[in-house]
Amino acid sequence: ADVYKMISRGDTLGVFQLESSGFREILKKLKPDCLEDIVAAVALYRPGPLEGGMVDDFIERKHGRKKVEYPHPSLEGILKDTYGVIVYQEQVMQIAQVLAGYSLGRADLLRRAMGKKKKEIMDAEKAGFVEGALGLKIDAKIADSVFDLMAFFAGYGFNRSHSAAYGWITYQTAYLKYHYPHEFMAGLMSCDADNIDNIVKFIGEARSMGLTVERPDVNESLSDFSVNPRIASSEPATKKRG
């Protein structure tokens, strides 16, 4: 829980994927409290969803300021983790399976067609989708509206498997920053040792976390940034933990 609180404060400088100022501002609004929220945030922080209002919609629904609604009751299991918002390409495929009886192979072809936005292909796909929905006793108007909704979101949809892998690494690096701040910051600065601008930025971040950053010492310094056990043991590094 403490790691998610740190992320929700936007204290994510050095954390994989969450470093930019824009992303940190979104985290303060979103206040993620589970891995699914981080996975979704990684998928949504792109020009399309940001400009299309999907990010704001996601945040409002998460915090109960906007009602979570599903295009059809049968889609709740697919869209529950994303508060009724179609975020991932895999969700488009699952909706086609559940609502129109598509096989996974055919659903993947539909996903590709939606991504290309070719009218003649889309018209043919829409007719097939509605026909499949009718076969499952889904009202044609609902099928029609869901197809249009899928087509809209498919243009912004991200690959969930990709986003989940990124999100997991994001959480791991955030965990290290919170629980092992000295080691994390030393490793971070060692990786960017040839970038003076980043080193200055990370030194400032370390100090704001309550860590002491010493000057190079011919008797104590190693070739990379390292942790001085004598000093680290006396620093709780709690200034940013809240």
Side-chain angles (χ1 to χ4, degrees):
D2 288 333
V3 177
Y4 287 111
K5 287 177 184 175
M6 181 190 78
I7 293 172
S8 296
R9 292 194 302 271
D11 292 340
T12 54
L13 191 66
V15 175
F16 182 65
Q17 291 287 301
L18 309 185
E19 290 192 82
S20 71
S21 58
F23 212 142
R24 299 210 304 269
E25 287 304 310
I26 284 176
L27 292 172
K28 292 176 187 176
K29 297 176 185 176
L30 176 62
K31 299 192 180 304
D33 55 13
C34 62
L35 184 62
E36 283 294 342
D37 285 349
I38 294 175
V39 173
V42 170
L44 289 169
Y45 190 69
R46 293 176 297 114
L50 286 168
E51 293 166 9
M54 285 175 64
V55 177
D56 292 333
D57 194 27
F58 186 91
I59 292 171
E60 292 299 299
R61 292 185 183 209
K62 172 178 169 57
H63 294 296
R65 294 187 290 266
K66 189 172 182 179
K67 186 179 177 182
V68 175
E69 296 179 312
Y70 303 101
H72 188 271
S74 65
L75 304 182
E76 182 175 351
I78 298 170
L79 301 176
K80 188 175 182 179
D81 286 341
T82 53
Y83 312 105
V85 179
I86 302 174
V87 175
Y88 310 114
Q89 293 177 3
E90 289 91 336
Q91 287 175 316
V92 169
M93 294 169 64
Q94 287 177 296
I95 290 170
Q97 275 188 292
V98 170
L99 216 62
Y102 276 37
S103 67
L104 270 176
R106 188 178 177 189
D108 188 43
L109 292 174
L110 174 65
R111 176 193 62 81
R112 293 185 203 178
M114 286 180 167
K116 291 177 181 176
K117 291 185 170 67
K118 291 186 177 179
K119 188 178 184 307
E120 63 277 8
I121 298 175
M122 290 291 286
D123 289 343
E125 288 291 346
K126 187 173 188 176
F129 184 88
V130 173
E131 184 182 345
L134 287 171
L136 295 176
K137 296 184 168 41
I138 305 291
D139 184 86
K141 288 183 178 178
I142 293 175
D144 190 86
S145 65
V146 170
F147 185 91
D148 289 342
L149 193 66
M150 288 165 61
F152 172 77
F153 282 108
Y156 301 125
F158 195 69
N159 186 309
R160 187 185 188 280
S161 56
H162 188 138
S163 192
Y166 270 30
W168 180 230
I169 297 172
T170 295
Y171 176 79
Q172 289 177 314
T173 53
Y175 181 95
L176 292 173
K177 181 175 184 179
Y178 183 84
H179 290 287
Y180 301 95
H182 299 86
E183 292 81 358
F184 180 81
M185 293 308 296
L188 194 63
M189 287 190 277
S190 294
C191 287
D192 267 8
D194 59 347
N195 188 323
I196 298 301
D197 290 340
N198 280 353
I199 292 298
V200 170
K201 179 173 65 176
F202 294 146
I203 287 175
E205 175 72 359
R207 286 174 173 160
S208 73
M209 292 165 64
L211 312 183
T212 298
V213 182
E214 294 188 296
R215 295 181 178 184
D217 187 311
V218 71
N219 294 314
E220 292 195 30
S221 296
L222 302 178
S223 58
D224 289 325
F225 287 87
S226 59
V227 179
N228 185 323
R230 173 176 52 81
I231 294 176
S233 62
S234 65
E235 291 180 343
T238 57
K239 286 187 180 179
K240 271 202 164 187
R241 296 191 178 184

